[in-house]
Amino acid sequence: MLDTLPAIIFTLFTAIVVIFQGGLALGMPWGAASMGGKFPGKYPPRMRVVAVINMLVLSLIAVVVLTRAGVIFPEHMPFATTAIWFVVAFSAVGIVLNTITPSKIERIWAPVAAVQFIMSLIVAVS
C-alpha cells in the first residue's frame, strides 16, 4: 500500500519522542526540552508520571496510524479510519506548541511534529 511507508515514518518519529519521554520518566535531565522548559533538569516525580502517560498516548497514536495504513490490526480499521483525524489534529497542535514554546531547546520538536503531521495526513487521506 502507498500509505505503509508514511505510517512507518510516522511511527519511527513517534518512537523517538516515546524514547525521549521514557528518558524523562527515568530521570534524565532533559526537562528544559519539554513542557515549555518549566521543569529544567530532572522531572519531579509527578511529571515523571506525566511522561509515562505521554509514552502510552503516543504509542496508542502510532497504533492508530499503523492500523489505518493496514499494517496491523485490520479488524480495527473502522475505528482507525475515524481516529486518524484525531492524530492529524494532535500533530498539528504539536507543531504550533513546539514552535511557540518559550524553551528554545524544545523547538527541536517542531520539525518532528511537522513530519508526524504530514505522514499522518497522508495516511488519513489514502
Side-chain angles (χ1 to χ4, degrees), residues 53 65 91 121:
I53 293 168
V65 172
S91 299
L121 185 60

Side-chain angles (χ1 to χ4, degrees), residues 32-116:
S34 183
M35 298 290 193
K38 186 176 179 182
F39 304 97
K42 293 182 181 181
Y43 264 6
R46 67 183 170 88
M47 290 308 297
R48 291 182 187 192
V49 172
V50 170
V52 171
I53 293 168
N54 286 342
M55 292 171 66
L56 295 172
V57 169
L58 290 165
S59 297
L60 178 61
I61 284 172
V63 168
V64 167
V65 172
L66 290 169
T67 300
R68 174 62 182 95
V71 176
I72 59 173
F73 305 126
E75 66 275 13
H76 296 294
M77 182 65 76
F79 170 77
T81 300
T82 302
I84 190 70
W85 293 107
F86 167 79
V87 177
V88 172
F90 183 88
S91 299
V93 169
I95 295 169
V96 173
L97 294 178
N98 286 301
T99 300
I100 66 169
T101 179
S103 170
K104 288 183 182 180
I105 185 96
E106 187 177 7
R107 293 181 194 145
I108 64 169
W109 297 113
V112 173
V115 169
Q116 289 172 309

Side-chain angles (χ1 to χ4, degrees), residues 6-55:
I8 291 169
I9 293 169
F10 178 94
T11 301
L12 290 173
F13 275 73
T14 302
I16 292 167
V17 182
V18 168
I19 291 166
F20 172 75
Q21 290 292 323
L24 289 170
L26 292 172
M28 297 303 295
W30 301 336
S34 183
M35 298 290 193
K38 186 176 179 182
F39 304 97
K42 293 182 181 181
Y43 264 6
R46 67 183 170 88
M47 290 308 297
R48 291 182 187 192
V49 172
V50 170
V52 171
I53 293 168
N54 286 342
M55 292 171 66

